[in-house]
């Protein structure tokens, strides 16, 4: 099939590349010239394992092209996928301006092609509030008039950044929402290579398909806020969340995924999709107390952790506050295996620490460039993880990248001015810290404070 992706971000690019890999002719369109130039020059504007190689393979096979010209992108496409951002607006509702702009551009091209064209399928891949795909259909109809045929479909995406290619190629399920049978058939044909191994494709009504995405993300966000609340109770009563987790997650009904205590969720999806549910609740007069609580617990979690840092430095013998201190952050992406820094807990804490007069240094294996791009000259970005520690007052673990899991603790201790680690991801055993004489704070576990380690 001839397909066009509108928006070549994490979702549009991965979707376009993976669909070209099954033999479709795909055009990836974006309004950002720099992204398209990078792609045309054989580069990849995002970090996603396996993606660069797959782009090269499909470009070479002449199945994958890139453009900033929307008329060229839409003219011959049989299916057009809207993959643009749907960020949270100022009032907490979803900003649909990018979606609507894309829909209007498509409508203009459909109108120009006239009534004899093969009906295009306009597929909503962006995560959108329930009712948006129907609103898009109505807007296109308004522009093209009553006699020109086209279809719409909602096709929420469930890939995880950092494992996006794998997730797209081997989805747990594919969800498609349609209001006409033919659109469902075309979508099922397109996804057939991805569900061959028995994973289901669920074709349903459009409103339910849109809601599946929010229900899924909000459930995962709920698990994270839940375990963080339990971790906070563990701290209050001297229990150890690591042991509690083990005991709890052995129950098959509970399972062990998305139940890691830490700094709370970040990224471009969970925070915004939780807020979107709250906003849909307000709009419809439906109580969304649970979504609100999930959001509130999440926001409080990183603040609570930052207070541990502040309290440590406010203590006797630790130098009267954060002003003049140097903090070394390991990990700035919102999670490992991605360069995405949207809503990253590390960046919240770095900005708060800076506001209190601290100097913040940061290391991240792939997200450092984005941090510098978004905050030019604000933080000291260090290309080598141990170098962040030289004469710093503390190390803060903010993303659980693999390379942080078994570091050289003697080296850490020798480089730091004060042997203190704030571990927002519970990467280390408390016994290791006692052994190495490091003052250690984590989440849901008692701190370790060897007397000789406090500077
Ligand atoms: P992104 O910000 O990485 O990419 C969006 C792209 O759309 C940008 O490159 C932007 O320049 C482009 N764009 C904006 N308006 C355009 C227009 N009118 N025409 C052409 N291009 C335009 O966003 P993303 O992370 O890929 O997310 C896209 C959607 O997918 C969102 O609704 C998001 O919630 C959803 N989603 C994201 C993920 C994820 O892990 N990132 C997973 C599932 C679903």
């Amino acid at each position: 099939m001839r397909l066009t992706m509108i928006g070549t971000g994490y979702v549009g690019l991965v979707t376009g590349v993976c669909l070209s890999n099954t033999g479709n002719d795909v055009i990836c369109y974006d309004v950002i010239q720099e992204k398209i130039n990078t792609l045309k020059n054989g580069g990849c504007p995002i970090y996603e394992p396996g993606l660069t190689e797959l782009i090269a393979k499909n470009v070479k096979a002449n199945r994958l092209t890139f453009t900033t010209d929307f008329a060229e992108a839409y003219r011959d496409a049989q299916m057009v996928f809207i993959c643009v951002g749907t960020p949270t607006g100022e009032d907490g509702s979803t900003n649909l301006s990018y979606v609507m702009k894309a829909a209007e551009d498509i409508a203009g091209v459909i109108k120009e092609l006239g009534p004899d064209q093969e009906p295009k399928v306009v597929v909503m891949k962006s995560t959108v509030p329930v009712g948006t795909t129907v609103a898009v259909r109505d807007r296109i109809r308004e522009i093209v008039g009553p006699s020109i045929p086209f279809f719409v479909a909602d096709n929420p995406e469930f890939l995880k950044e950092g494992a996006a290619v794998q997730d797209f190629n081997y989805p747990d399920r594919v969800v498609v929402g349609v209001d006409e049978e033919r659109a469902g058939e075309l979508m099922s044909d397109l996804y057939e290579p991805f569900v061959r191994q028995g994973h289901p494709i669920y074709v349903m009504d459009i409103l339910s398909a849109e809601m599946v995405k929010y229900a899924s993300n909000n459930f995962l966000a709920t698990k994270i806020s839940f375990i963080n609340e339990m971790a906070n109770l563990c701290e209050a009563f001297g229990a150890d969340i690591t042991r509690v987790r083990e005991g709890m997650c052995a129950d098959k009904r509970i399972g062990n995924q998305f139940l890691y205590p830490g700094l709370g969720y970040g990224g471009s999806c969970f925070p915004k999709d939780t807020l979107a549910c709250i906003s849909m609740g307000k709009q419809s007069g439906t109580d969304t107390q649970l979504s609100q609580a999930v959001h509130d617990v999440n926001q409080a979690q990183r603040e609570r952790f930052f207070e541990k840092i502040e309290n440590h430095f406010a203590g006797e013998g630790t130098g009267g506050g954060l002003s003049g201190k140097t903090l070394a952050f390991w990990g700035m992406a919102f999670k490992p295996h991605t360069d995405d820094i949207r809503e990253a807990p590390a960046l919240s804490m770095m900005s708060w620490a800076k506001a209190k007069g601290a100097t913040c240094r940061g290391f991240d294996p792939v997200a450092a460039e984005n941090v510098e791009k978004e905050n030019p000259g604000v933080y000291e970005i260090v290309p080598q993880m141990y170098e962040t520690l030289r004469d710093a007052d503390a190390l803060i673990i903010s993303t659980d990248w693999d390379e942080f899991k078994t570091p050289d603790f003697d080296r850490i201790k020798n480089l730091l001015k004060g042997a203190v680690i704030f571990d927002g991801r519970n990467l280390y055993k408390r016994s290791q810290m006692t052994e190495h004489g490091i003052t250690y704070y984590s989440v849901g576990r008692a701190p370790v404070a060897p007397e000789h380690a406090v500077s």
Side-chain angles (χ1 to χ4, degrees), residues 65-86:
T65 54
F66 310 101
T67 186
T68 49
D69 177 344
F70 76 78
E72 175 198 327
Y74 298 156
R75 199 180 310 116
D76 297 326
Q78 294 166 289
M79 291 188 176
V80 180
F81 287 72
I82 299 180
C83 310
V84 300
T86 48

Side-chain angles (χ1 to χ4, degrees), residues 6-12 29-32 35 83-86 98 101-102 126-127 157 159 161 213 268-269 272 342:
I6 313 173
T8 41
Y10 290 89
V11 167
Y29 159 62
D30 205 287
V31 286
I32 299 181
K35 276 193 185 188
C83 310
V84 300
T86 48
Y98 305 103
K101 168 79 175 75
S126 297
T127 304
E157 181 50 57
L159 61 78
E161 286 176 21
K213 177 65 189 174
S268 66
C269 291
K272 121 180 134 50
R342 289 178 281 190

Side-chain angles (χ1 to χ4, degrees), residues 214-233:
Y214 285 113
S216 304
N217 269 5
N218 275 20
F219 184 66
L220 295 173
T222 302
K223 289 177 91 173
I224 295 171
S225 282
F226 174 82
I227 199 72
N228 280 332
E229 189 163 289
M230 293 303 113
N232 297 343
L233 280 173

Side-chain angles (χ1 to χ4, degrees), residues 16 34 53 70 74 110 129 148 150 163 169 174 176 179 194 209-210 227 247 255 282 316 351 374 379 401 430 432 442:
E34 194 190 336
E53 297 79 356
F70 76 78
Y74 298 156
I110 294 177
I148 300 181
F150 68 92
N169 284 334
V174 172
V176 173
D179 55 1
F194 300 90
E210 289 172 328
I227 199 72
K282 278 190 191 137
E316 214 176 298
S351 71
E374 298 280 314
Y379 305 117
W401 283 98
R430 294 176 68 253
Q432 288 175 297
S442 55

Side-chain angles (χ1 to χ4, degrees), residues 330-350:
W330 278 5
M332 294 181 284
F334 83 92
K335 66 172 188 177
H337 312 294
T338 182
D339 61 350
D340 197 342
I341 55 166
R342 289 178 281 190
E343 301 284 332
L347 288 173
S348 302
M349 293 194 291
M350 286 165 85

